[in-house]
Amino acid sequence: MLPDAPELLSLFGIGVVLTLLVGFYSVLTSQNLIRTLIGMEVLTKGVTLLIIVVGYVVGQIALAQALAITLIIIEVAVIVVAVGIVLCVHKHTNSIDTRDLGNLKG
Amino acid sequence: MLSLLILVPLAGLLLLNLPFTPAMKRTAWAFAFTVALAQVAMVLVAPAAAWSQQGFLAQYFSFGLEAKDLTRVLLLAIGIVMATTLMVGRSMITDDRQQFNFVNLLLVSIIGMNGVVLVTDLFSLYVFLEVTSVSSFILIAFNRDLGGLEGAFKYLILSAVATVLMLTGVALLMLVAGGTSFETVAAAMKTSGGITISQMAVGAFVCGLFIKGGLVPFHGWLPDAYSSAPAPVSILLAGIVTKVSGIYALVRLATSVFPASGAMNEVLMVVGAASIIVGALAALGQHDLKRMLAYSSISQMGYIVLGLGCGTPLGIVGAVFHLFNHAIFKTLLFVNSAAIEQRTGTTDMNRMGGLGSRMPVTGVTSTIAALSTAGVPPLAGFWSKLIIVIALWQAHDYGFAGIAVLMSVVTLAYLLLMQRRIFFGKTSPEHAGVREAAAGVVVPELVLAALTVAVGLLFPWVLNTFMLPVGGIFH
Amino acid sequence: MNESILLIPVLLPLIAGLAVLAIRGPVRLAREVVTLVVMLANLGLAIYLFGQDLTFVHPWAGVWGGIAMEMALRVYQFSGFILLAVAGFSLLVALYSWKFMADRSYGNQYYGYMLISVAMVNGAVMADHLVVLLFFWEGLLLTLMGMIAIGTKDAWKTAIKAFIIVGVTDVCLMMGIALTGWLAHTLRMSEIAAHPLSLAGLGSVAMIFMTIGAISKAGSMPFHSWIPDAAIDAPLPFMAFLPASLEKLLGIYLLGRITLNLFALTTESWVSTLLMIIGAVTILLAVAMALVQKDYKRLLSYHAISQVGYMILGIGTALPVGIIGGLFHMINHAMYKSCLFLSGGAVEKQAGTTDLARLGGLASKMPITFTCFIVAAAAISGVPPFNGFFSKELVYDGALERHWIFYAAALLGSFLTAASFLKLGHAAYLGKRDPANEGVKEAPMAMLLPMIVIAAGCVLFGVYNPLPLHYLIQPILGEHRLEGHDFAGLPANWMLVAATVLVLAAALVNHLVGVKRSGSGLGAADHIHHAPVLSTIYDWAARRFFDPYDIGMAIVRGLSLFLWGIDRFIDWIYDSFIVTLTTGLGWTVRLAHTGNYSLYIVWSLVGAAAIIAFLMRIL
């Protein structure tokens, strides 16, 4: 581990936590499907940041970079699928309100 | 040799989708089916040498793959459920283009699942999990009806939360262990498994797996996804995807990678017990068949995790055995629901009745599956549940053993209610003209039912050949 | 000679019976011939075996709890005697049945069951191991049912009733045998006989259980209620065959063995008193019922029950004179009761009915039958010099020695018996003839011959009573038990004889009075029937108040209703309480799933936080 690990971690750690908070807030409370998806993106970015920082701190930056790139690719795939779903929902209900997706219950 | 399990479907996927060979499209289904059956055959008859990672492929594809006993059990289950899904899908999806898309997605799914069970690295595990999940999202929304879209979306969102949790765990573990492979992490956990960060990391990762596995209270997406997905997809999801994603990873990690600690076992047992209870209780009042079966799946997953949390080798054996059995009988139940859906066009049990005389094979196999789920001797489900209860008893967890047994009664109750509502009683007038389901659905029913019975009757052999070696997973 | 010969009396009739059951089709005479030949062979073999002491033992079912289960058969004085009697009666009834059953459709079953019954009785009589005894005993139950059920249309109801009654007592016998075996550490009767069990403690319980089995087979009260029903429903020669002779022989044989060989019955034990009470009660109640019957067969069947009372009373006295009397009465009764039934059968066949109201004046039409009837009726009433008189005197002697009240009961029973038979004889054979019976002819020779033989036997055993007593009965007891008495010849106590003669005369007077009063033989007992208290009791009895079977069935019904009520209650608790609880919880859980994915995410995050905190040992 790098000698200034604790400081780096704390600094970036706060950043990560903030990012995650913003992401969760968006996912949980938005009434707009697109905003929800953006929130998902933000969440994933947060953890990517965490991985990079950790990788740097333990000296495995190459591994961390590989992981980050992989993550981004996966995330793209997921988001594409998610947007596809939202598009189909829009075809059905003509809106992108999250409350349209609350029909299955019980 | 092991890489083939991933590479062959991948190659097939690429080849089949080359734009200038329409003939390929027709062979897609046959190819996928062959792959699935080959996987089953490989587990059953391949010599030990095939299970090592030698050969020229190892040089080029350097993610480490390993197939010990647990993996083999799951590969077998994956093969069986895949083959079933393919057969039912062929029968129920009539449009050729849709069929082709379906097969493609299933190939992706196979790649993902085989990868999950074979890899030896945390991050690779995550990658293949995502591959499986993405294919699942698309499959659930396959028919593009609002229900399916909703189910897919909920799965997606919760999967994203799972991603966050798992990756946080990975990051923190990297902090402690300096790497992400199982060996590295395991070694690190031996020395510094007790420190706060490790525990946090392990907790986070495990919670992510809980979401994927559909355990309480992380299960919110499961009933919606299972019930709104098209029939063949429900079969796939319930039969293997949740198990591979959630449960396999849990078993693998909790036993060989993460530190075995009393606290972890406690968590597993509490989560397991809660799943059993919530699943069983919620299943009682359902009038949608697939939703009831979805809650039943949650409940049975609870049994598996309960056995796992027991901490003893016998508990693991019981858990894995139940995992395998559940793959068989839950798949069978969903195949039956597919048959019913194919013929009556509905899954609302209030509108069914008296189908037993019209759909005899479905009725009988459904009864067999229901009895196996409830744990009635001498079917397979009885033995695995028995082993779990015995393991709990031996570990002095009498309360949990009691819960397990008690909830079996509730399980039996709602399953028998289901049977009665669907198959017995007066035939409802709107379904008076139904016939037995198509051959593509009936054959898997029969095969799976035969498997349940056979495993139940031949339980000593199955136990010794497949399950007991899994108990050696502790190291 | 080879002991395996003992297997033949069992196997030969059994195989023949099964073969007859299996015959289908018109080979009608074949079964009668087979039956007669087998019966003759059986008789010949019984004569051959009589007087010998042979034991056949074969290991059978290993050793249970230290007690060996063997197939053990033994012929000695007692069992040889019974074997002979059984063979004789079966042959006579088979001969009689030839003509009687000529026009019945169920001939195959009848002869088949008859043969199998003989096999079973032979086996039971020869059994030396209590489990072997039980096996054959139970087998007899099945043929009993079979023979009843082939009678009239509703005969199966009686068959079921017989099955239940005899079955329950057979269970008592089983329990008695089990207890006996446990107490004696062996189940071989000859071994137990060497050291009879005392009646202290469990011994008396074992004896009571076994006695219940024995006397029920013999037809004593309170296990009797199937017999009068069977008299109507079953084919008549069956009555002469099983209830009248074979079952009495078997039942009293077992009672004899119980009191003589298995247990040490003494005059002081309460079991002896109990037996005497049962005997006395049976005598009185059954004969009272017989007195008011208006059907030939039912009347006879009640008498059969009544006479068993004498046997039980005699054996129950535990005195040599009483026991000899009881055993002698057993064989005598077999003779005259079967003769009576056979005469009733002759009447039924020739006149077409046994309803006493429609019979009458048959004496001149059926003289031989009438004569046999008179002989048998006199014998059963205890008229000297017939055999019944002598055996009854011995029983009186023993009863009086124990307590005068038993003697009085027995004497009263004789009075009523005599009155009853006077009535029967008058109503059936004397008096005005019903015009419908003008064409009645005497019964065919095949039916007459057995009656004549038996009636002659009654005379012989009476007049020349040293023959049966010395050769058949007294050897059963053995020298030391007899204590030097010899009961042959004329009765020792002249007072008793005088009392008997007085009683018989009183019965005659009563009958004549009754005839005068009612104007016909049939009404001769009406004044007893309609006497103040008695008429109510009779009324109740006719409505089956006292039928233990009916009472038992009513109790069983009441009990099962009660238990069913409890079961419903427990069901209700399960159904409503637990079901409500579970469905309520299920409803709550389902409500919690609102369909809003944000809620699910919150659940997941809260759960994750809780788990992580727990793992970090904060929680």
Side-chain angles (χ1 to χ4, degrees):
Chain A
M1 283 240 257
L2 289 186
D4 49 346
E7 291 82 24
L8 277 174
L9 275 176
S10 338
L11 185 63
F12 281 99
I14 295 178
V16 165
V17 168
L18 281 175
T19 317
L20 287 179
L21 280 175
V22 167
F24 273 124
Y25 176 76
S26 184
V27 166
L28 283 173
T29 58
S30 81
Q31 283 178 345
N32 185 324
L33 280 174
I34 301 292
R35 280 220 194 106
T36 313
L37 294 187
I38 295 176
M40 270 174 60
E41 288 260 350
V42 170
L43 282 175
T44 323
K45 293 298 170 278
V47 275
T48 315
L49 179 59
L50 182 62
I51 289 184
I52 298 285
V53 170
V54 167
Y56 176 67
V57 161
V58 298
Q60 297 263 17
I61 194 60
L63 176 63
Q65 281 176 348
L67 294 186
I69 292 177
T70 319
L71 260 180
I72 293 174
I73 297 176
I74 292 174
E75 198 218 327
V76 165
V78 171
I79 279 296
V80 163
V81 172
V83 171
I85 292 177
V86 171
L87 277 176
C88 287
V89 168
H90 177 78
K91 270 215 195 87
H92 275 280
T93 63
N94 233 14
S95 83
I96 45 175
D97 195 330
T98 53
R99 286 167 296 191
D100 288 334
L101 291 181
N103 298 324
L104 296 170
K105 45 179 131 198
Chain B
M1 186 59 173
L2 289 174
S3 341
L4 283 180
L5 285 167
I6 300 178
L7 292 176
V8 166
L10 183 58
L13 191 60
L14 292 172
L15 287 175
L16 288 173
N17 283 289
L18 293 176
F20 47 82
T21 47
M24 282 297 200
K25 292 199 204 297
R26 282 196 289 275
T27 61
W29 188 88
F31 172 75
F33 195 64
T34 316
V35 165
L37 287 184
Q39 189 162 320
V40 173
M42 180 178 170
V43 175
L44 290 177
V45 300
W51 294 103
S52 64
Q53 180 62 332
Q54 314 292 2
F56 79 107
L57 288 172
Q59 303 167 286
Y60 298 97
F61 297 94
S62 61
F63 36 79
L65 296 179
E66 175 182 65
K68 295 248 218 33
D69 310 281
L70 175 64
T71 310
R72 284 185 232 183
V73 171
L74 267 124
L75 283 173
L76 182 61
I78 292 174
I80 294 174
V81 178
M82 262 307 157
T84 309
T85 313
L86 280 165
M87 286 196 73
V88 174
R90 183 183 177 78
S91 177
M92 291 188 70
I93 300 177
T94 43
D95 180 48
D96 274 344
R97 266 200 74 209
Q98 294 286 74
Q99 173 90 309
F100 183 61
N101 292 337
F102 183 71
V103 171
N104 282 340
L105 286 167
L106 282 188
L107 282 173
V108 175
S109 197
I110 288 190
I111 296 172
M113 289 195 284
N114 281 353
V116 168
V117 301
L118 285 171
V119 295
T120 55
D121 180 274
L122 273 178
F123 194 74
S124 313
L125 181 70
Y126 167 73
V127 169
F128 281 106
L129 272 176
E130 285 299 303
V131 170
T132 315
S133 302
V134 166
S135 65
S136 303
F137 302 151
I138 308 178
L139 280 170
I140 295 175
F142 199 71
N143 286 337
R144 291 183 219 143
D145 59 315
L146 196 57
L149 290 169
E150 184 181 329
F153 190 77
K154 286 184 185 163
Y155 189 15
L156 197 152
I157 286 280
L158 274 154
S159 197
V161 176
T163 301
V164 169
L165 286 169
M166 281 198 282
L167 287 175
T168 314
V170 166
L172 292 175
L173 281 174
M174 213 160 73
L175 194 58
V176 174
T180 57
S181 81
F182 286 174
E183 288 157 16
T184 324
V185 174
M189 286 296 114
K190 279 205 178 55
T191 53
S192 34
I195 65 179
T196 319
I197 298 212
S198 310
Q199 291 296 323
M200 211 156 83
V202 165
F205 198 88
V206 161
C207 286
L209 289 176
F210 282 159
I211 295 181
K212 292 281 191 194
L215 295 162
V216 169
F218 308 96
H219 66 287
W221 59 273
L222 201 147
D224 301 334
Y226 279 28
S227 58
S228 59
V233 175
S234 297
I235 299 174
L236 184 71
L237 278 179
I240 200 62
V241 166
T242 326
K243 291 189 215 356
V244 164
S245 326
I247 311 296
Y248 161 80
L250 265 179
V251 175
R252 187 80 167 88
L253 296 174
T255 52
S256 19
V257 178
F258 294 153
S261 72
M264 188 58 172
N265 287 345
E266 285 253 1
V267 167
L268 284 171
M269 286 210 286
V270 169
V271 166
S275 305
I276 299 177
I277 297 175
V278 168
L281 288 177
L284 264 180
Q286 296 296 333
H287 61 82
D288 181 81
L289 175 59
K290 280 159 77 169
R291 214 173 161 83
M292 173 187 271
L293 291 177
Y295 277 113
S296 178
S297 294
I298 296 178
S299 191
Q300 300 302 312
M301 289 300 165
Y303 276 99
I304 300 174
V305 172
L306 189 60
L308 180 63
C310 190
T312 62
L314 191 64
I316 309 275
V317 167
V320 174
F321 194 20
H322 200 68
L323 190 154
F324 181 71
N325 286 337
H326 187 249
I328 309 272
F329 57 65
K330 196 40 69 68
T331 308
L332 178 54
L333 280 171
F334 271 101
V335 171
N336 288 328
S337 88
I340 294 171
E341 201 179 319
Q342 186 182 41
R343 287 301 182 224
T344 63
T346 177
T347 54
D348 186 352
M349 290 197 282
N350 290 339
R351 288 164 54 193
M352 298 181 206
L355 290 177
S357 49
R358 308 224 149 257
M359 307 178 78
V361 178
T362 308
V364 169
T365 49
S366 179
T367 312
I368 294 179
L371 290 177
S372 192
T373 315
V376 171
L379 297 170
F382 168 71
W383 299 114
S384 50
K385 272 197 182 164
L386 185 67
I387 296 179
I388 293 178
V389 170
I390 292 178
L392 286 171
W393 195 267
Q394 280 179 348
H396 306 295
D397 295 311
Y398 304 117
F400 289 110
I403 291 179
V405 174
L406 213 62
M407 285 295 141
S408 279
V409 175
V410 179
T411 309
L412 187 62
Y414 67 72
L415 285 172
L416 286 182
L417 273 175
M418 170 194 90
Q419 284 295 106
R420 185 150 62 89
R421 274 198 281 186
I422 302 177
F423 294 110
F424 303 121
K426 283 204 315 287
T427 314
S428 70
E430 60 181 303
H431 303 310
V434 303
R435 331 184 295 280
E436 184 56 82
V441 180
V442 166
V443 169
E445 281 179 6
L446 290 170
V447 170
L448 288 170
L451 263 178
T452 301
V453 174
V455 170
L457 293 176
L458 297 174
F459 131 85
W461 178 77
V462 174
L463 193 66
N464 286 329
T465 322
F466 291 106
M467 307 298 165
L468 281 181
V470 176
I473 203 171
F474 285 116
H475 59 76
Chain C
M1 81 206 69
N2 194 355
E3 292 89 27
S4 313
I5 201 173
L6 291 180
L7 285 173
I8 300 186
V10 178
L11 289 177
L12 178 62
L14 181 63
I15 295 173
L18 289 170
V20 168
L21 275 177
I23 293 180
R24 297 242 171 278
V27 197
R28 198 187 72 89
L29 266 185
R31 53 173 193 241
E32 278 88 338
V33 170
V34 163
T35 311
L36 281 174
V37 164
V38 168
M39 295 295 190
L40 270 172
N42 189 36
L43 181 62
L45 195 58
I47 296 176
Y48 178 63
L49 286 171
F50 178 71
Q52 315 216 12
D53 194 335
L54 279 176
T55 309
F56 168 83
V57 182
H58 189 71
W60 183 39
V63 177
W64 291 10
I67 302 178
M69 295 288 157
E70 308 155 311
M71 173 70 162
L73 300 174
R74 181 169 172 230
V75 165
Y76 70 117
Q77 313 102 332
F78 204 174
S79 58
F81 160 50
I82 304 288
L83 208 60
L84 188 59
V86 166
F89 282 110
S90 342
L91 178 63
L92 290 172
V93 174
L95 182 61
Y96 180 90
S97 307
W98 190 1
K99 275 299 174 200
F100 188 86
M101 302 292 290
D103 49 355
R104 308 287 169 114
S105 58
Y106 40 76
N108 278 9
Q109 289 160 305
Y110 175 80
Y111 286 109
Y113 290 135
M114 180 186 263
L115 285 166
I116 300 178
S117 303
V118 170
M120 293 290 155
V121 173
N122 282 350
V125 167
M126 286 196 291
D128 193 44
H129 192 281
L130 283 171
V131 171
V132 176
L133 171 74
L134 190 63
F135 173 70
F136 287 114
W137 199 271
E138 302 287 345
L140 199 55
L141 180 62
L142 292 174
T143 56
L144 175 73
M145 265 192 81
M147 287 190 90
I148 296 179
I150 59 179
T152 62
K153 205 160 47 69
D154 286 329
W156 62 270
K157 283 196 208 130
T158 310
I160 301 270
K161 185 169 169 172
F163 181 75
I164 292 181
I165 295 176
V166 182
V168 168
T169 53
D170 277 358
V171 169
C172 290
L173 181 65
M174 220 184 289
M175 292 199 289
I177 290 182
L179 259 175
T180 309
W182 186 72
L183 286 170
H185 305 295
T186 175
L187 283 170
R188 287 284 300 275
M189 300 211 274
S190 41
E191 282 172 25
I192 304 180
H195 302 281
L197 296 169
S198 88
L199 288 177
L202 276 180
S204 41
V205 175
M207 179 169 178
I208 293 290
F209 275 135
M210 286 191 73
T211 309
I212 289 178
I215 63 178
S216 149
K217 186 68 99 189
S220 144
M221 282 191 163
F223 312 110
H224 66 284
S225 44
W226 62 272
I227 298 183
D229 292 333
I232 304 293
D233 289 332
L236 188 124
F238 158 78
M239 293 301 293
F241 179 57
L242 275 181
S245 50
L246 259 58
E247 286 202 326
K248 298 267 181 307
L249 292 171
L250 191 58
I252 301 299
Y253 163 72
L254 183 60
L255 185 62
R257 292 214 64 175
I258 291 173
T259 52
L260 296 175
N261 294 38
L262 299 180
F263 298 89
L265 186 68
T266 58
T267 50
E268 290 86 31
S269 78
W270 62 274
V271 179
S272 154
T273 319
L274 180 64
L275 279 177
M276 291 204 291
I277 295 177
I278 292 179
V281 166
T282 302
I283 297 174
L284 283 179
L285 288 184
V287 77
M289 285 305 300
L291 194 56
V292 301
Q293 292 302 318
K294 306 245 181 297
D295 180 278
Y296 200 140
K297 294 193 287 190
R298 279 182 85 93
L299 192 146
L300 288 180
S301 64
Y302 274 110
H303 275 293
I305 300 169
S306 169
Q307 295 297 307
V308 169
Y310 281 99
M311 301 175 220
I312 298 177
L313 176 61
I315 296 184
T317 59
L319 296 165
V321 65
I323 298 179
I324 294 289
L327 291 173
F328 193 22
H329 202 75
M330 166 187 75
I331 184 71
N332 289 340
H333 167 87
M335 288 164 59
Y336 52 64
K337 188 40 64 72
S338 35
C339 184
L340 285 169
F341 269 114
L342 294 181
S343 70
V347 167
E348 181 182 318
K349 183 160 168 61
Q350 299 305 110
T353 177
T354 51
D355 186 352
L356 290 174
R358 286 157 53 193
L359 295 173
L362 292 175
S364 47
K365 292 282 176 183
M366 304 173 72
I368 306 184
T369 310
F370 180 53
T371 317
C372 294
F373 172 80
I374 291 192
V375 169
I380 196 173
S381 310
V383 174
F386 298 109
N387 54 2
F389 166 71
F390 290 101
S391 58
K392 274 195 179 173
E393 289 299 314
L394 291 171
V395 172
Y396 291 155
D397 203 339
L400 184 59
E401 214 174 300
R402 287 299 301 273
H403 197 287
W404 65 268
I405 198 167
F406 295 112
Y407 172 63
L411 207 54
L412 183 58
S414 292
F415 170 74
L416 293 171
T417 308
S420 171
F421 274 97
L422 282 169
K423 162 183 155 176
L424 178 63
H426 194 147
Y429 296 100
L430 304 173
K432 270 213 316 292
R433 189 177 317 139
D434 193 306
N437 294 333
E438 282 303 315
V440 166
K441 294 199 303 292
E442 183 55 90
M445 185 42 103
M447 288 167 71
L448 287 178
L449 188 58
M451 281 196 273
I452 298 174
V453 168
I454 298 180
C458 289
V459 176
L460 179 66
F461 274 27
V463 169
Y464 194 58
N465 58 29
L467 169 65
L469 280 173
H470 283 167
Y471 291 107
L472 300 176
I473 312 287
Q474 286 181 181
I476 296 172
L477 236 47
E479 279 306 322
H480 70 280
R481 283 232 223 198
L482 280 176
E483 295 151 12
H485 291 137
D486 182 2
F487 299 110
L490 297 170
N493 193 336
W494 278 104
M495 300 274 284
L496 294 181
V497 176
T500 307
V501 171
L502 252 156
V503 160
L504 288 174
L508 186 61
V509 166
N510 170 61
H511 177 77
L512 292 172
V513 165
V515 169
K516 197 88 157 306
R517 278 243 197 117
S518 67
S520 78
L522 186 55
D526 280 350
H527 56 279
I528 300 183
H529 192 166
H530 300 302
V533 175
L534 293 176
S535 71
T536 326
I537 299 182
Y538 273 125
D539 196 30
W540 286 349
R543 287 194 276 149
R544 296 182 179 267
F545 266 31
F546 301 124
D547 187 347
Y549 173 77
D550 281 348
I551 295 177
M553 284 290 122
I555 292 181
V556 166
R557 258 193 297 267
L559 195 63
S560 59
L561 265 173
F562 174 66
L563 288 174
W564 186 80
I566 293 189
D567 183 63
R568 290 289 105 212
F569 176 66
I570 295 181
D571 249 12
W572 174 82
I573 288 197
Y574 275 128
D575 269 349
S576 42
F577 178 63
I578 297 190
V579 166
T580 325
L581 182 67
T582 337
T583 31
L585 287 175
W587 184 72
T588 316
V589 169
R590 273 184 292 130
L591 267 190
H593 291 68
T594 63
N596 181 1
Y597 62 83
S598 307
L599 180 67
Y600 302 153
I601 298 177
V602 168
W603 287 353
S604 310
L605 290 175
V606 168
I611 289 176
I612 296 176
F614 177 72
L615 285 177
M616 285 164 55
R617 287 177 198 83
I618 295 179
L619 225 56

